[in-house]
Amino acid sequence: MWDDAFPSFLIGLREGLEAGLIVSILVATLVRAGARSRLPQVWTGVLAAIALALSFGAVLTFTAASLSATAQEAFGGTLSVIAVAFVTAMVFWMRRSAPSLSGEIKDKVTGALGMGAGVLVATSFLAVGREGLETALFLWTTAQAAGESAGPLTGAAIGLALSAALCWGLYRRVLRINLTKFFTATGAVLIVIAAGVLGYGLRDLQEGGVLPGRTSYAFDLSGSVDAGAWYSTLVQGVLNLTPTMTVLQVLGYGGYLAVVMTLFVRGVRDTAPRRVPTGVASRVGTETAESAESAEATEASEATEAGLPAAQPTQVPRRRPAWLVPVAVVTVPALIAGGAIVLGRPKPAAAETVAVSDKECGKGFSAPKPGRQTFQMHNTGDKTSEVYLVDPATNAVYGEVEGLAPGTTRALVATVAGGTYAWRCVPSSGPAVTSKAVRVSGGGTTQAVVPVSEQDLSGPLRQYRSYVDKGLATLVGQTRTLAADIKGGHLGKARADWLTAHLTYSSLGAAYGTFEDFDQKINGRADGLPDGVHDKDFAGFHRVEYGLWHGESAASLTAPAQQLATEVEGLRQAFPHQDFDPSDLPLRAHEILENTLQFELTGDTDEGSGTNLATADANLAGTRELLTVLRPLLTTRAPHLLPTVDADIARLQTLLDAAWHGSTWTPVAQLGATVRAQVNGATGQLLEDLSPVPDLLEIRKSA
């Protein structure tokens, strides 16, 4: 996404152009000094700087990945603050140095020519290495803020490629750029971006427990701002401004922007009146990019002016293979980075083997050290068992293994923090057994799931069954009316009554076998039938829909409509006696909208009415009803989940409402590409945010 790519594009362009200018100056100066044979030393230093930057990025990535969630937040926040400091220093340094950059680098190269090869390598390495390290650090922090790496890396790659093209144009004297103005303009934009990175870093430090005020919000606009809209993602991606920000974030963001931007603008005004020698400030690129043809014509005289014999640099004897130094400068940083990654990772303790059975539950378990731990769970009994790592005081679950067969061993990975831990072994038959508890000191906190019992879900299940039962009673009357319309030849009225009845049915959560075989008879699709819509087994709402919107006569539709009413009546009578596994209830919160995304939003179930979005709206109503009955259980287990889901539902509802035009709905096939992508995206985001519900409300035996 461009919103995630833009900050990295800008840093790639600036840092790439800065490093490229330095390399161009080095190359041009050597060419003019008649020291072409020393160019490999420049490229060796550049190669070493690139290798160092890549190695540094690898260290950041793999070191962070090995930390606990809390430590990752603190680590990322600290590096974000450091990155802001580096970027700020770079912005001010380049604003001051652009006019005189060419002369400074030339002086260094002239001095290096009289010394050994190592000095020239070091000159190019140090000149480019700083930009490489700054780029790696800033890219890592922006990727962390974006939550993905593809956008930031793509933006940086485009920026670096463009900077390379600009530097080549400057070197070949086909471009003229006022670099002072360029670095001033981009510097101002970078200051705004850096303020957002600082705000994000402060939030990470709060999440990691380093700074206070985690729950002290300056504002919370999540209920009124569409967080998934294009303008929201653009502002969040580029500026790191979110609908909810803490007081510390706002103070850090506003304070940094006010102070740094004021100093930057004041510095620009202070330096604006001063004049520099002609051909320096506005022609840095051209000055650094003397063409090779011009250089060859004057190389002997200019080398002499530099105080060096023209032939001297080309006669340095080689005492080692030409490939040795380049290979070494790439290999050494990589080896050092690999060592840092290995040494920086916490050494995993030897995995304990813990017995699982009704007689030896937890045998072999001793107090583990804080951090991510692996336990080898071995079933020593004669029954298949489940095993949970729990807090015995609250029954909160930290990790689990299901279906552990007798005599088998499987690993259980869990993050251990300060607290009390025990094993709960649940055989396929017989009572659950809890091991002796152990106490772990230190290590911060970790997330756990409070188990749900069948008793916990019995209340929500009764409420939902009552909701469905009332809906079926209403549906019976609606399908009878529909059948009467068709029998009487009132097909226009039948179309309106068909939609009313179908939306009632769609709001009852008929997903994944909720109504057993009745669903296929009432709302089956023509897909997979030998003769498609003309197959004798094609029945229910979609069969009637096809006939009503494809010009079939009332006589041909009377039997399908009557059969639909009969099946609905049968479902109403059967539903109170159907088994409904309480553990299926949390699944419905996710699965109803899975069906919506798969069938309604693709238009696959449209048999002519063009009302797929109306069905999606009814499915959303069914999902909302499920969340209403599950809300008390979810609130205590994931208090931050429901506000997010509510915002997702409101966003999707707004998009669906826009497709309703009083008496008609916009067919899915007629939606514009942008609107269709928005509806699909909003549904997908809601599904993603609902995905933890089945795990949070999974029934676990606690005693």
Side-chain angles (χ1 to χ4, degrees), residues 642-657:
L642 286 174
T644 301
V645 168
D646 289 342
D648 291 342
I649 290 176
R651 176 192 176 199
L652 180 56
Q653 187 68 66
T654 300
L655 292 170
L656 293 175
D657 289 345

Side-chain angles (χ1 to χ4, degrees), residues 467-494:
Y467 162 77
V468 173
D469 195 55
K470 291 177 181 177
L472 289 175
T474 301
L475 183 63
V476 168
Q478 291 171 342
T479 53
R480 286 175 179 172
T481 300
L482 172 62
D485 291 340
I486 293 176
K487 185 176 181 179
H490 308 298
L491 298 187
K493 185 174 183 298

Side-chain angles (χ1 to χ4, degrees), residues 420-489:
T420 304
Y421 296 84
W423 293 103
R424 178 159 293 137
C425 304
V426 185
S428 55
S429 61
V433 179
T434 303
S435 73
K436 181 181 178 181
V438 299
R439 180 73 186 175
V440 176
S441 300
T445 59
T446 187
Q447 295 294 323
V449 177
V450 178
V452 173
S453 65
E454 289 191 18
Q455 183 62 33
D456 292 328
L457 284 172
S458 62
L461 182 57
R462 282 194 302 271
Q463 295 178 53
Y464 188 67
R465 289 183 71 101
S466 175
Y467 162 77
V468 173
D469 195 55
K470 291 177 181 177
L472 289 175
T474 301
L475 183 63
V476 168
Q478 291 171 342
T479 53
R480 286 175 179 172
T481 300
L482 172 62
D485 291 340
I486 293 176
K487 185 176 181 179

Side-chain angles (χ1 to χ4, degrees), residues 547-559:
L548 286 173
W549 274 272
H550 283 83
E552 288 191 27
S553 66
S556 66
L557 286 174
T558 297

Side-chain angles (χ1 to χ4, degrees), residues 76-167:
T78 301
L79 289 183
S80 295
V81 174
I82 294 174
V84 170
F86 279 157
V87 169
T88 305
M90 175 266 291
V91 166
F92 281 90
W93 179 83
M94 201 58 192
R95 190 205 68 204
R96 294 191 306 268
S97 302
S100 58
L101 182 64
S102 177
E104 293 177 3
I105 297 298
K106 285 181 179 179
D107 291 341
K108 292 181 180 179
V109 175
T110 302
L113 283 173
M115 302 181 185
V119 177
L120 193 54
V121 171
T123 301
S124 59
F125 170 77
L126 293 174
V128 179
R130 184 186 67 176
E131 280 69 33
L133 292 176
E134 289 175 351
T135 302
L137 180 57
F138 195 83
L139 282 180
W140 188 87
T141 55
T142 52
Q144 291 294 109
E148 54 96 16
S149 57
L153 289 179
T154 301
I158 296 173
L160 290 171
L162 180 57
S163 67
L166 291 175
C167 287

Side-chain angles (χ1 to χ4, degrees), residues 404-639:
L404 185 62
T408 60
T409 302
R410 280 162 57 190
L412 185 151
V413 180
T415 299
V416 175
T420 304
Y421 296 84
W423 293 103
R424 178 159 293 137
C425 304
V426 185
S428 55
S429 61
V433 179
T434 303
S435 73
K436 181 181 178 181
V438 299
R439 180 73 186 175
V440 176
S441 300
T445 59
T446 187
Q447 295 294 323
V449 177
V450 178
V452 173
S453 65
E454 289 191 18
Q455 183 62 33
D456 292 328
L457 284 172
S458 62
L461 182 57
R462 282 194 302 271
Q463 295 178 53
Y464 188 67
R465 289 183 71 101
S466 175
Y467 162 77
V468 173
D469 195 55
K470 291 177 181 177
L472 289 175
T474 301
L475 183 63
V476 168
Q478 291 171 342
T479 53
R480 286 175 179 172
T481 300
L482 172 62
D485 291 340
I486 293 176
K487 185 176 181 179
H490 308 298
L491 298 187
K493 185 174 183 298
R495 293 188 185 94
D497 289 340
W498 174 91
L499 180 59
T500 300
H502 188 242
L503 296 185
T504 297
Y505 183 78
S506 299
S507 68
L508 301 181
Y512 291 84
T514 302
F515 297 144
E516 298 180 351
D517 294 337
F518 283 99
D519 184 50
Q520 182 61 32
K521 298 174 183 178
I522 293 173
N523 203 41
R525 293 174 287 112
D527 297 350
L529 296 177
D531 295 325
V533 294
H534 303 293
D535 196 275
K536 61 181 179 60
D537 292 327
F538 184 34
F541 276 110
H542 292 302
R543 168 66 184 92
V544 176
E545 176 191 9
Y546 181 83
L548 286 173
W549 274 272
H550 283 83
E552 288 191 27
S553 66
S556 66
L557 286 174
T558 297
Q562 184 57 53
Q563 181 63 29
L564 171 62
T566 301
E567 296 295 349
V568 168
E569 177 64 38
L571 173 60
R572 184 197 176 190
Q573 294 177 4
F575 181 73
H577 309 290
Q578 288 179 343
D579 291 331
F580 201 118
D581 189 339
S583 63
D584 285 346
L585 190 62
L587 294 174
R588 298 291 173 265
H590 188 269
E591 291 171 345
I592 294 173
L593 289 177
E594 274 190 347
N595 276 5
T596 304
L597 193 61
Q598 182 179 0
F599 300 118
E600 271 65 51
L601 297 186
T602 59
D604 287 350
T605 54
D606 185 0
E607 296 296 352
S609 67
T611 58
N612 275 147
L613 293 181
T615 305
D617 185 71
N619 292 158
L620 186 62
T623 300
R624 190 184 287 111
E625 181 64 28
L626 272 165
L627 291 173
T628 298
V629 302
L630 294 173
R631 186 171 291 269
L633 295 176
L634 290 171
T635 300
T636 58
R637 287 163 175 81

